[in-house]
Amino acid sequence: MERKRLGEAVDGALYAAGRLHLLLLRFLTGTLTLFLILVPVTGVWMVSLMRKYSVFRDFFGYLRRGQAIGSLAAFLLCYMGMFGALFWLCIVCRRLRIAKRLIVWSMIWVPFLNYGLALYVRGLARQEIDHSIHKIRLDDVRVERQVCKTRYPVLLVHGVGFRDFHYFNYWGRIPRELRRNGAEVYYGHQEAWGTVEDNGEILRQKIFEILKETGAKKVNIIAHSKGGLDSRYLISGLVMGPYVATLTTINTPHHGSALVDFLMGLPDGLYQLICRYIDWYFGKLGDKKPNAYAASRQLSCGYAKEFNEKYPDVPGVFYQSFTSLMRHGLSSKLLCVPYWILKVIDGPNDGLVTAESARWTNFRGVVTNQYLRGISHGDMIDLTREDYRNFKVLEFYIQLVEKLAENGF
């Protein structure tokens, strides 16, 4: 109960922070717009007075004319105002990526060019304002309707190499947004480097806890990456089908990852040494039975083939799958190296998993956008806590859970 109240307080604070950010963005955009109008007006006024009172012919007389001095002061004041508003708007505007911010800040000192940059940044800020206002209106309507209020609680199951930390959430802003829209959200709390068997047992116990707490008869599982394999073993291997209504897998290597096969080509002694270090590190973070050597090999193509034959889908459970694709290596700084390796040895991928490997029962297609960046493995769990053009991660999950609710789950 205390954690629930704390979560509600945090949600309220984050919502208020979002509104405050929008107000600040609107203030800075309005201020910059005002100075963008005043700079050319005061500039024309100043030039006209300077031409009327030539500096070369009547320099001291020109200095005595207050309106000429006033025009110069007004121009400089407006120019510095534009400079300051542009500087702070670059900090506040979320649509301006780090690289573009550095470019703007490096060019902000160049006369005339900084005026063009100000127009560009103002355009991005206005787009963000329009999007934010539309999202707030849409969110308010949906929160009233509680569109994500499903029949069964939602269980989020994380992937390999992470844990369900309370303050550094694997799922980013997603759980908060689902709760705001009516969903009951729980976490799997399985281990970061546990085998599918060990993690399946943890998930089994977690489901019984959820059912006891809520009084529900089943849960809806949304699983990312290896979490999808943990969940499939849970349903089929541990005979938990009667307690699971749906399983949605996202970027799960159902048919294995050629990247893991590539890494398994390393000398076995080196491979085990790396895995022992991973086990030691995640043991410090809370894993009770870390086994990176076995867990990583369970992501290989050979293991996946045996796994699929041994643990088929269970009748009565609704399955569906999604995946995403990066467009090039620079789409994700974190996954650029594995992306290129997997691209060469297998094909298009999200940085860790190919689209073909993620394809499973009721495959809903590839999530991507029309721009060069694409959508990475981490983007699908809101790793960077930001949206991308043509892909709003929070909207994706709201629509996913809303659809489950509409179908009676």
Side-chain angles (χ1 to χ4, degrees):
M1 188 61 70
E2 287 295 328
R3 177 170 288 188
K4 185 177 181 181
R5 282 199 292 266
L6 177 61
E8 290 174 352
V10 170
D11 289 348
L14 290 172
Y15 184 71
R19 294 294 183 107
L20 182 61
H21 176 268
L22 177 60
L23 287 174
L24 181 59
L25 191 64
R26 295 183 75 171
F27 170 75
L28 289 173
T29 304
T31 303
L32 182 59
T33 301
L34 176 64
F35 284 123
L36 284 172
I37 295 171
L38 290 177
V39 164
V41 170
T42 55
V44 170
W45 181 32
M46 180 189 67
V47 170
S48 65
L49 288 175
M50 288 182 69
R51 291 183 64 183
K52 183 177 180 181
Y53 305 109
S54 171
V55 177
F56 298 104
R57 285 186 300 136
D58 193 10
F59 180 74
F60 293 103
Y62 167 72
L63 290 179
R64 286 194 298 269
R65 298 183 183 276
Q67 61 178 356
I69 297 174
S71 69
L72 176 61
F75 174 76
L76 291 175
L77 181 65
C78 292
Y79 193 84
M80 293 305 295
M82 182 192 76
F83 183 93
L86 174 59
F87 179 84
W88 286 107
L89 193 58
C90 284
I91 296 175
V92 174
C93 183
R94 292 170 178 165
R95 294 209 168 194
L96 204 64
R97 308 300 181 197
I98 294 177
K100 290 183 178 179
R101 285 179 187 175
L102 294 175
I103 292 173
V104 172
W105 284 336
S106 63
M107 299 293 184
I108 203 172
W109 318 97
V110 183
F112 300 107
L113 179 60
N114 51 18
Y115 191 87
L117 291 173
L119 290 172
Y120 171 71
V121 174
R122 174 181 169 273
L124 290 180
R126 287 181 65 87
Q127 290 177 19
E128 184 177 342
I129 290 171
D130 292 342
H131 170 73
S132 297
I133 291 174
H134 172 74
K135 186 176 184 303
I136 287 172
R137 289 172 179 168
L138 181 64
D139 286 350
D140 288 344
V141 171
R142 285 197 297 210
V143 167
E144 269 187 40
R145 291 172 52 210
Q146 295 288 276
V147 296
C148 293
K149 191 173 181 61
T150 53
R151 181 181 178 184
Y152 305 115
V154 174
L155 175 62
L156 299 178
V157 179
H158 68 71
V160 71
F162 289 87
R163 291 188 60 85
D164 287 318
F165 292 116
H166 183 62
Y167 295 106
F168 182 73
N169 198 308
Y170 178 86
W171 298 88
R173 302 166 295 170
I174 296 164
R176 172 173 58 89
E177 200 66 19
L178 292 179
R179 288 194 183 103
R180 283 188 64 231
N181 285 276
E184 288 184 274
V185 180
Y186 294 86
Y187 302 103
H189 288 296
Q190 78 275 28
E191 301 203 340
W193 286 98
T195 62
V196 293
E197 294 81 10
D198 291 338
N199 281 350
E201 180 58 34
I202 294 172
L203 292 173
R204 187 181 74 87
Q205 295 174 13
K206 186 63 183 178
I207 287 176
F208 285 136
E209 289 176 13
I210 295 170
L211 300 185
K212 183 179 179 180
E213 179 182 335
T214 62
K217 294 182 178 180
K218 299 182 179 184
V219 297
N220 294 306
I221 298 178
I222 299 176
H224 179 252
S225 193
K226 179 179 173 288
L229 301 181
D230 295 341
S231 301
R232 283 180 53 203
Y233 171 78
L234 161 81
I235 297 169
S236 183
L238 298 181
V239 198
M240 288 291 287
Y243 305 101
V244 177
T246 66
L247 171 60
T248 302
T249 60
I250 298 171
N251 301 67
T252 293
H254 292 289
H255 303 284
S257 174
L259 180 63
V260 174
D261 291 346
F262 173 80
L263 294 175
M264 285 168 59
L266 294 172
D268 194 60
L270 176 61
Y271 194 90
Q272 290 194 39
L273 179 63
I274 295 171
C275 290
R276 280 198 296 271
Y277 173 76
I278 293 173
D279 291 345
W280 172 82
Y281 180 77
F282 279 89
K284 297 290 184 182
L285 294 180
D287 273 17
K288 295 180 180 178
K289 295 172 63 178
N291 192 343
Y293 186 81
S296 61
R297 286 173 174 258
Q298 287 180 334
L299 299 172
S300 66
C301 297
Y303 177 85
K305 185 177 179 181
E306 296 177 6
F307 182 88
N308 294 336
E309 293 173 356
K310 191 174 181 180
Y311 304 113
D313 291 351
V314 172
V317 178
F318 175 75
Y319 293 79
Q320 62 178 345
S321 58
F322 296 84
T323 193
S324 65
L325 284 179
M326 290 167 54
R327 293 290 179 87
H328 54 76
L330 297 179
S331 297
S332 171
K333 301 178 182 67
L334 183 65
L335 299 175
C336 59
V337 174
Y339 168 83
W340 283 118
I341 295 174
L342 193 53
K343 179 72 181 293
V344 171
I345 63 178
D346 198 345
N349 61 88
D350 64 0
L352 292 173
V353 180
T354 64
E356 285 304 311
S357 181
R359 185 185 294 270
W360 196 246
T361 307
N362 294 320
F363 182 60
R364 302 303 187 188
V366 176
V367 178
T368 187
N369 57 15
Q370 299 174 355
Y371 297 90
L372 290 175
R373 189 185 186 284
I375 307 300
S376 76
H377 195 84
D379 295 337
M380 291 298 289
I381 53 165
D382 197 32
L383 186 64
T384 58
R385 275 56 172 173
E386 59 183 332
D387 293 327
Y388 301 98
R389 289 189 293 180
N390 286 144
F391 176 68
K392 308 296 184 289
V393 64
L394 302 184
E395 189 69 21
F396 170 82
Y397 281 92
I398 288 174
Q399 291 182 13
L400 190 161
V401 177
E402 183 180 4
K403 194 71 174 177
L404 292 176
E406 289 175 356
N407 289 331
F409 298 117

